[in-house]
Amino acid sequence: MIQFSRKFWNILTFTILLTGFLWIRYTATHFGPGTNGKTPAPHQGFLAPDFTAQSLSGEEVSLSSLKGKPVLINLWASWCLPCRKEMPALEQIYQDYRGEGFTILAVNATNQDQIEKVNTFVKEYQLNFLILLDENGEITNAYQLSAFPTSFFISADGIIQEVVIGGPMSEALLRSRVEHLLEISKSEAP
Amino acid sequence: MLPILQIGPLAIQTPGLILLLGLWTGLYLSEKYAVKKDMDPGVLYHLVFWALISALIGARLSYIFEYSQAFIANPLSIISINPTLFNWWAGAACALIFSLWYGQRQNLDFWLTLDLLTPAFATLSLFIGIAHLASGNAFGSESNLPWTIELWGKRRHPTQIYEIISSVVVLGIVFGFINSKKPLSKGILFLMYLVLTSSSKLFLEAFRGDSQMIGDFRLAQWAAWLCLAVGLWFLGKRMIPGMIKDFNNENTQDQ
């Protein structure tokens, strides 16, 4: 009885593990990894949706024109308290890493804000990175904004590496993420 | 998908809230099971509480070591409550090591403790699936099947729904065993859960669109296969003597 039970169990175990192994082999060749890196979507692992917007100084800027550079897109509004709190850290990071090709696009949700307040805000915090105006909500829609602030860390190949919803982000968080982006960008460079 | 729950000025991260709810519900069910087994439920709470604390400390310390320059510039960030400043793999390792040490120090029965925690594990698995559905993470690969859903720009397998369904089935089986009148040998409940969960992970991972790959293979599938092998081996070792004991007892009673 003991021998039969053990034998039965051993056969059952072997059959289950062999089936599992064959499933892994089969799905490796028949179930591909997909097209995440080529599909635009506001999620980690996907291509960052492209957009063109006017900056506060009046120039037209598109995300695709920055390909080859690690980019942080920060969606914000002047009335949002966490957005205000994280701006000095964003400015500091921009100053520290701009020499290595890192860029910040701070997209203001102008359809939910007032341009005068945006101007005052930028002067108050002495921001030097690009402030883009999303006047009709196209960018916030494309990036499926669910809370202010939301930040997208994008590597040089245009792929979203991380999405941080909410804030304020600490300087250490920003620094560690930007260093990670720069590392990825360097490893991908030809 | 509902990644953020907006209550007035408060923006609550829904997946995090769901995971907390899952942990609380799971622990409540494990406590009830411990009472049923004439065990002190406080032991489980202490174990889980200190394991979570060690996970948090380990995850943060590991992250600090990884990005030490960032923290040298901003030492106050060491105590930041930001949930993204953690290395959760290191945290899980710390929690596991701490739990083993704590269990040995408190003379906890290894297999019995795992059995008592099984309702918590099974419940948490279900809530992880719900959290994935809320965040849109753990999404499926592209497909044209009639039950696919539109997510991240393509029609995809609803892997979060698959995950929830499989977790409900596993949870049902676990509670079927718990409520069964036939007593189980120590460790059987946990090992059943391990075998069922790793089997479903091994099968369902193939439909994921965000798997971590090693060459052509999915890392999670190999991890699940390994867990399945370990689970089956221990299950065989623990279940066969139990089956024979029950068989002998039944024969004795019949005579």
Side-chain angles (χ1 to χ4, degrees):
Chain A
M1 184 69 195
I2 295 170
Q3 277 180 345
F4 172 77
S5 295
R6 286 211 169 128
K7 196 177 172 187
F8 173 75
W9 186 259
N10 288 342
I11 292 169
L12 184 69
T13 301
F14 178 76
T15 311
I16 293 171
L17 291 178
L18 182 67
T19 310
F21 176 76
L22 292 174
W23 177 246
I24 293 173
R25 292 276 306 175
Y26 175 77
T27 54
T29 47
H30 290 79
F31 291 52
T35 58
N36 297 356
K38 292 171 189 159
T39 309
H43 194 74
Q44 188 180 340
F46 287 85
L47 193 65
D50 192 23
F51 58 82
T52 303
Q54 202 168 48
S55 74
L56 205 57
S57 53
E59 58 180 315
E60 291 269 317
V61 178
S62 66
L63 178 65
S64 52
S65 68
L66 297 170
K67 201 156 185 182
K69 288 180 176 180
V71 178
L72 165 60
I73 296 176
N74 179 257
L75 303 177
W76 67 283
S78 66
W79 46 261
C80 148
L81 199 62
C83 304
R84 300 183 82 91
K85 282 194 173 171
E86 70 183 15
M87 280 299 170
L90 281 172
E91 177 62 25
Q92 186 60 53
I93 294 299
Y94 176 67
Q95 294 299 341
D96 290 352
Y97 292 98
R98 62 191 288 195
E100 294 178 57
F102 170 69
T103 306
I104 295 178
L105 295 181
V107 180
N108 173 260
T110 318
N111 60 336
Q112 302 176 48
D113 211 333
Q114 290 169 22
I115 197 78
E116 302 79 33
K117 287 186 177 172
V118 175
N119 272 311
T120 313
F121 184 95
V122 171
K123 277 180 195 152
E124 185 187 340
Y125 287 95
Q126 299 175 351
L127 304 177
N128 289 297
F129 45 79
L130 272 168
I131 308 289
L132 301 183
L133 305 174
D134 184 23
E135 288 177 285
N136 46 20
E138 266 179 28
I139 302 173
T140 51
N141 278 342
Y143 280 79
Q144 296 178 14
L145 177 75
S146 53
F148 285 111
T150 296
S151 299
F152 295 84
F153 292 84
I154 301 162
S155 52
D157 56 359
I159 306 292
I160 298 173
Q161 297 297 331
E162 191 174 358
V163 183
V164 177
I165 302 174
M169 292 184 290
S170 67
E171 202 177 310
L173 186 151
L174 283 163
R175 213 173 273 280
S176 60
R177 295 303 196 271
V178 172
E179 279 179 11
H180 181 60
L181 278 188
L182 290 167
E183 264 173 45
I184 295 172
S185 304
K186 274 176 200 162
S187 67
E188 281 168 356
Chain B
M1 250 179 59
L2 185 67
I4 296 290
L5 194 63
Q6 194 79 42
I7 304 173
L10 268 181
I12 299 167
Q13 306 254 0
T14 323
L17 190 69
I18 292 167
L19 289 179
L20 276 179
L21 193 66
L23 187 67
W24 181 80
T25 313
L27 272 177
Y28 171 75
L29 293 171
S30 277
E31 182 197 38
K32 280 188 77 173
Y33 185 44
V35 171
K36 194 177 166 184
K37 286 272 189 183
D38 295 325
M39 294 288 296
D40 176 16
V43 174
L44 288 184
Y45 266 109
H46 284 125
L47 175 68
V48 173
F49 176 76
W50 288 111
L52 285 175
I53 296 290
S54 59
L56 285 173
I57 294 171
R60 176 56 59 87
L61 285 177
S62 167
Y63 193 89
I64 291 169
F65 283 125
E66 201 176 343
Y67 296 102
S68 49
Q69 288 304 317
F71 286 90
I72 288 168
N74 305 90
L76 272 180
S77 294
I78 291 171
I79 51 164
S80 163
I81 56 164
N82 200 308
T84 54
L85 289 172
F86 291 100
N87 178 343
W88 289 115
W89 284 110
C94 282
L96 185 68
I97 293 164
F98 171 83
S99 303
L100 290 170
W101 173 79
Y102 184 86
Q104 214 165 29
R105 201 179 145 90
Q106 298 287 323
N107 287 323
L108 299 180
D109 185 309
F110 181 74
W111 290 111
L112 181 62
T113 309
L114 284 176
D115 278 346
L116 295 179
L117 285 170
T118 300
F121 294 147
T123 310
L124 197 56
S125 299
L126 170 63
F127 278 77
I128 288 172
I130 301 170
H132 282 155
L133 188 64
S135 65
N137 287 333
F139 55 85
S141 56
E142 295 148 38
S143 172
N144 293 319
L145 289 165
W147 59 85
T148 52
I149 53 167
E150 179 77 30
L151 186 64
W152 308 128
K154 297 275 180 190
R155 305 263 344 147
R156 298 177 182 282
H157 277 284
T159 39
Q160 300 96 337
I161 308 275
Y162 298 164
E163 194 181 349
I164 291 170
I165 292 169
S166 78
S167 301
V168 168
V169 171
V170 173
L171 192 65
I173 293 170
V174 163
F175 275 91
F177 277 115
I178 286 175
N179 294 323
S180 146
K181 284 179 184 163
K182 258 193 164 182
L184 292 169
S185 303
K186 279 180 199 172
I188 299 292
L189 188 68
F190 171 74
L191 290 167
M192 285 280 191
Y193 163 76
L194 182 67
V195 165
L196 290 169
T197 303
S198 40
S199 304
S200 70
K201 181 76 184 164
L202 197 157
F203 178 68
L204 293 177
E205 183 68 20
F207 303 101
R208 285 267 296 263
D210 61 343
S211 300
Q212 201 175 338
M213 308 292 284
I214 302 178
D216 287 337
F217 295 101
R218 290 170 169 84
L219 181 64
Q221 275 189 317
W222 282 115
W225 189 86
L226 202 66
C227 286
L228 181 63
V230 170
L232 285 169
W233 189 74
F234 274 112
L235 198 57
K237 275 193 80 162
R238 300 194 70 78
M239 200 164 73
I240 292 167
M243 278 161 64
I244 291 151
K245 195 174 144 196
D246 288 344
F247 176 79
N248 288 339
N249 285 346
E250 278 166 20
N251 274 1
T252 315
Q253 280 163 12
D254 287 348
Q255 285 162 8

